Amino acid sequence: MNEKTVLNAADATVQEFDWGELVWYASGKLGNSATMTLGRAVLKAGHENFRHSHPNCEEILHVLSGRIVHSLGDELFPMGPGDTIVIPANVVHNASNDGDDPAIMSILFSTPDRQTDVADE
């Protein structure tokens, strides 16, 4: 074990967007995982993130609170607390929150260096 084994909450990386935020807890960039990326997504009420795909990894998204509609290719999946979706590499997807409260989700990627391509739609 080394000093990177435990990430203190204050050391998480936060990315803010108009639609919400991503908070990263484990990844190659953080130096505490050689095989995965772990984070939390917060999607503001009435917002959606951009349609995108991940060319180099699978994503697992688990809803902790709130309600979303998750697109996966051309399909839509209403999701609430406790629901989980597995998103294969290269499949275009996004989440939309049409509720009154923020939606909070855990996100896990099968690589330490997640790549994102914005969809041309």
Side-chain angles (χ1 to χ4, degrees):
M1 291 194 274
N2 61 45
E3 70 277 356
K4 299 286 185 173
T5 301
V6 175
L7 179 81
N8 292 318
D11 295 330
T13 300
V14 179
Q15 292 179 287
E16 295 190 18
F17 302 91
D18 291 340
W19 51 263
E21 70 179 16
L22 297 172
V23 182
W24 301 111
Y25 302 113
S27 69
K29 186 174 183 179
L30 287 168
N32 59 353
S33 179
T35 59
M36 293 180 284
T37 298
L38 174 67
R40 181 186 74 207
V42 178
L43 187 57
K44 294 177 184 176
H47 287 78
E48 65 182 330
N49 63 341
F50 52 90
R51 287 188 43 89
H52 62 282
S53 63
H54 304 288
N56 68 327
C57 61
E58 181 177 79
E59 176 181 357
I60 298 173
L61 180 143
H62 178 78
V63 180
L64 298 170
S65 65
R67 302 201 70 77
I68 64 169
V69 175
H70 202 283
S71 72
L72 185 63
D74 294 330
E75 295 185 74
L76 297 176
F77 299 93
M79 298 176 65
D83 293 341
T84 302
I85 189 168
V86 178
I87 304 156
N90 290 309
V91 175
V92 175
H93 63 280
N94 80 317
S96 175
N97 180 348
D98 57 3
D100 296 326
D101 298 310
I104 301 173
M105 298 149 282
S106 290
I107 48 178
L108 177 68
F109 298 89
S110 62
T111 183
D113 64 341
R114 170 190 65 96
Q115 297 171 5
T116 301
D117 290 340
V118 177
D120 295 328
E121 297 180 20

